[in-house]
Amino acid sequence: MPVNHSDADFEEQARENLRVTVEETLGEHPDVPVDPQVVEGHPAVVLTEAAREADLLVVGSHGRGAFTGMLPGSVSHHCVHHATCPVLVVRADSA
């Protein structure tokens, strides 16, 4: 029988995932100011809109396979070309 998830369930899970990710990312620097937000929409559009007043937009890059791992993903590519501020694309450590 299919499970019925409400939008509130997905939003709450997204908030919890974000909270954990921020804590893990800050690690030894928990005093760094962070304004975590859960926003519905296409990631590329949401990020470029949020970055309108930013000094810098930092995004990750997802690649698949040996060669494509060197290329930016579609979201980071969109941000690089459409954000109104500088964009830093961070690749995950492949080790």
Side-chain angles (χ1 to χ4, degrees):
M1 178 145 87
V3 176
N4 185 10
H5 294 285
S6 70
D7 289 341
D9 293 337
F10 287 118
E11 184 175 344
E12 183 56 37
Q13 185 61 48
R15 287 185 191 289
E16 179 60 17
N17 288 343
L18 178 58
R19 184 191 65 74
V20 169
T21 300
V22 169
E23 284 180 4
E24 289 174 354
T25 301
L26 292 180
E28 298 175 16
H29 307 284
D31 295 334
V32 172
V34 175
D35 180 21
Q37 299 177 19
V38 173
V39 179
E40 185 176 349
H42 188 279
V45 174
V46 169
L47 287 167
T48 53
E49 183 62 30
R52 283 194 183 276
E53 303 297 321
D55 295 325
L56 176 68
L57 174 61
V58 180
V59 296
S61 177
H62 290 283
R64 307 284 184 243
F67 177 72
T68 56
M70 295 184 282
L71 301 174
S74 61
V75 172
S76 58
H77 185 266
H78 178 92
C79 291
V80 165
H81 291 284
H82 297 284
T84 57
C85 65
V87 178
L88 173 63
V89 179
V90 179
R91 283 189 2 189
D93 185 9
S94 60

